[in-house]
Amino acid sequence: MTPGGVNAGIKFFEPYPIFMRRARGSHVWDVDGNEYVDYLMSYGALILGHGSEIVVRAAESVFTSVGTTVMGTPTEMEIEYGKTLRDLYHKDGLLRFTNSGLEATSLALRLSRAYTGKRKVAKFEGHYHGAVDHLLFSYSPSTGSAGKAESPVPIADSAEVDNRFLSDSLVLPFNDWEATHKLIVSHAKELACVIMEPFEEGVIAGDPRFMGNLRKLTRDLGIPLIYDEVKTGFRVRLCGAGEFYSITPDLTCLGKIIGGGLPIGALVGDLEIMGLLDPRKERKRRVFHSGTFNGNPLSLSVGNATVEELRRKGRFDTLRMRTTRLKQALSRSLSQRQIPHTVAGEGGMFNIYMTSKPVRNHRDVQNSDMRLRRFLDIELISRGVYLKPENRYCLSLAHTEDDVETTKERFAESLDAEMPRSN
Ligand SMILES: Cc1ncc(COP(=O)(O)O)c(C=O)c1O
């Protein structure tokens, strides 16, 4: 019925994706009735777990207090929740809601181009910014085809990504300052922005010096720096990766958690750049942005309740401590069996790479033992621990100590399963 059985390419995995029927808290059940501890958490979007009472109450309250799901005019909730997000991410800035992460990143590009009058977009190899043609390159190139590590070439991630988008792009090597500096300086006159996941794949941290240097260089050259915090927002820290590094980018893209499980995105940032969206601006400089469901009361109310809960004293620390306990336990299990691995991630998510070497960017990920990782993940799924193979572990406030204990046991059993030899 759907190509590959999925409605989003990212949801597919070999041998086939699993159809789920229902979910509650930290658990999901498939159509055959099998139960799993869920570490996908809808790619990190659900931080209170499935079907949280807080979410249900917030959704119900929209019908009782607002009386509708969408109005087509500004509403009070846009001020209330917008202000919360703005104050957490860019105190002196402005914010626009969108319906998805990719709409936020697309808007960030359009604004940067209008602001600088330049076209070229610099992005990092291995960083994902949504299924939008302007940014759909070099997310997951195989190392063989992507040029030298210090000067990667743009590789389209989809058929029919127009060559125009590739020629408007510059690909940078994450965590290699010398090469990144050289590439940015030599293209500075054409660059409209530098966009990045401040933690690659949401988990691989930038070296603090690399991140600091990049902020300084882009500021000195007048190139807007965009943090795409769709994964890291409210997961790495309450105020995202910006807080972790003590760096304020010019624009921040948000999504996932900020909708509490409903579709949403947001762009927040610099007054002058965001000000170009003001419909009162003279036509020549004005940037158009619209969307029927932007800022709809349902997504905003649920998002607001979710973020309020997360900001309650001790809530984020609980999530962080439970995540740390799990990642340390899994790492111990691997070490006991002398399996080379590196664990990466901060706050409420992490990933495990099967290599003894430091994992600093996409090339290092490609050089890890992905076959072993896939094997392990399928073994885990068959034992009732669900995550998308090779993807990161995302925890929620619904995950319990029992979940952690069960996962530790199932992980150890999976490690002791015999991996078939490759042909
Ligand atoms: C860093 C990042 N940016 C953008 C997006 C796109 O968000 P959406 O799927 O809501 O369009 C994603 C989605 O996973 C993401 O991880």
Side-chain angles (χ1 to χ4, degrees):
M1 207 275 291
T2 53
V6 289
N7 277 299
I10 204 156
K11 294 178 186 169
F12 181 81
F13 62 83
E14 298 280 4
Y16 48 79
I18 297 175
F19 278 68
M20 295 297 175
R21 173 156 294 147
R22 66 187 181 91
R24 180 151 193 82
S26 55
H27 288 222
V28 288
W29 287 261
D30 69 20
V31 288
D32 296 322
N34 299 307
E35 180 176 356
Y36 308 81
V37 184
D38 181 17
Y39 290 103
L40 184 66
M41 283 287 127
S42 198
Y43 294 90
L46 295 168
I47 203 146
L48 303 187
H50 294 283
S52 150
E53 269 178 33
I54 291 162
V55 163
V56 174
R57 254 186 278 124
E60 283 171 355
S61 79
V62 171
F63 295 96
T64 51
S65 63
V66 182
T68 183
T69 52
V70 66
M71 278 200 240
T73 65
T75 59
E76 286 169 306
M77 185 48 90
E78 289 172 54
I79 307 287
E80 185 180 336
Y81 190 32
K83 197 167 173 320
T84 300
L85 293 178
R86 197 271 315 263
D87 290 351
L88 287 169
Y89 280 81
H90 276 265
K91 266 194 180 44
D92 306 316
L94 291 171
L95 173 142
R96 270 280 173 99
F97 283 112
T98 64
N99 291 304
S100 64
L102 85 83
E103 289 173 44
T105 56
S106 311
L107 181 59
L109 288 203
R110 189 182 297 159
L111 273 170
S112 303
R113 284 176 166 153
Y115 180 71
T116 58
K118 299 187 274 181
R119 281 214 63 75
K120 224 180 188 52
V121 168
K123 84 174 275 285
F124 286 88
E125 190 173 64
H127 293 208
Y128 181 64
H129 301 294
V132 52
D133 286 26
H134 300 253
L135 289 162
L136 206 49
F137 54 89
S138 298
Y139 155 51
S140 186
S142 57
T143 307
S145 61
K148 290 188 189 145
E150 64 277 15
S151 54
V153 293
I155 303 285
D157 292 312
S158 166
E160 290 306 314
V161 168
D162 200 300
N163 270 339
R164 186 163 45 95
F165 297 121
L166 297 187
S167 54
D168 271 345
S169 68
L170 175 69
V171 184
L172 304 169
F174 191 51
N175 272 330
D176 178 344
W177 178 244
E178 203 184 322
T180 294
H181 177 267
K182 202 161 135 194
L183 284 165
I184 292 180
V185 169
S186 61
H187 289 87
K189 286 206 176 79
E190 310 154 273
L191 279 181
C193 62
V194 174
I195 185 166
M196 73 190 309
E197 284 196 76
F199 278 67
E200 183 170 313
E201 298 187 351
V203 292
I204 303 169
D207 176 74
R209 281 227 311 275
F210 177 87
M211 299 301 282
N213 286 341
L214 182 63
R215 174 62 289 193
K216 183 169 181 325
L217 181 67
T218 47
R219 187 178 286 129
D220 290 350
L221 295 173
I223 301 167
L225 175 65
I226 305 166
Y227 276 9
D228 177 353
E229 295 234 35
V230 169
K231 286 192 195 84
T232 49
F234 294 100
R235 267 215 181 263
V236 160
R237 292 285 184 271
L238 266 178
C239 300
E243 178 186 345
F244 178 85
Y245 296 118
S246 303
I247 289 175
T248 308
D250 298 293
L251 296 169
T252 299
C253 307
L254 296 169
K256 295 197 192 286
I257 287 169
I258 68 159
L262 286 168
I264 202 168
L267 182 67
V268 52
D270 180 78
L271 204 62
E272 219 181 306
I273 305 177
M274 292 295 290
L276 297 176
L277 290 166
D278 189 334
R280 295 167 299 185
K281 209 142 200 101
E282 58 167 318
R283 184 174 265 281
K284 238 179 34 223
R285 293 218 68 206
R286 197 192 314 153
V287 171
F288 186 73
H289 164 241
S290 204
T292 304
F293 292 97
N294 289 359
N296 71 79
L298 195 55
S299 298
L300 263 52
S301 173
V302 169
N304 190 40
T306 300
V307 168
E308 258 178 19
E309 174 63 13
L310 208 52
R311 292 176 73 195
R312 275 184 44 207
K313 199 166 179 321
R315 302 303 273 151
F316 193 84
D317 288 341
T318 304
L319 174 76
R320 187 159 54 172
M321 272 157 20
R322 201 151 285 155
T323 308
T324 303
R325 247 193 311 278
L326 179 64
K327 74 179 169 188
Q328 286 174 346
L330 302 191
S331 178
R332 231 179 354 260
S333 220
L334 286 158
S335 298
Q336 280 160 0
R337 290 162 179 80
Q338 275 134 31
I339 300 175
H341 66 282
T342 295
V343 181
E346 272 293 323
M349 65 182 163
F350 67 91
N351 209 348
I352 302 172
Y353 299 97
M354 300 313 207
T355 171
S356 55
K357 303 211 175 94
V359 175
R360 293 164 48 81
N361 57 35
H362 181 68
R363 306 261 167 156
D364 296 333
V365 174
Q366 292 265 302
N367 288 332
S368 67
D369 189 342
M370 298 211 260
R371 187 169 167 265
L372 173 58
R373 175 62 204 272
R374 258 191 306 270
F375 168 77
L376 234 186
D377 290 343
I378 297 294
E379 287 294 320
L380 274 170
I381 290 174
S382 72
R383 288 174 170 80
V385 175
Y386 185 69
L387 68 162
K388 162 100 186 279
E390 294 176 70
N391 218 278
R392 59 201 183 282
Y393 288 72
C394 291
L395 275 77
S396 74
L397 283 168
H399 283 83
T400 61
E401 286 300 322
D402 275 357
D403 290 330
V404 171
E405 284 306 310
T406 306
T407 307
K408 275 162 55 178
E409 282 164 25
R410 307 276 158 85
F411 192 80
E413 288 164 21
S414 301
L415 286 177
D416 294 335
E418 196 174 334
M419 183 160 88
R421 288 176 191 283
S422 57
N423 301 324

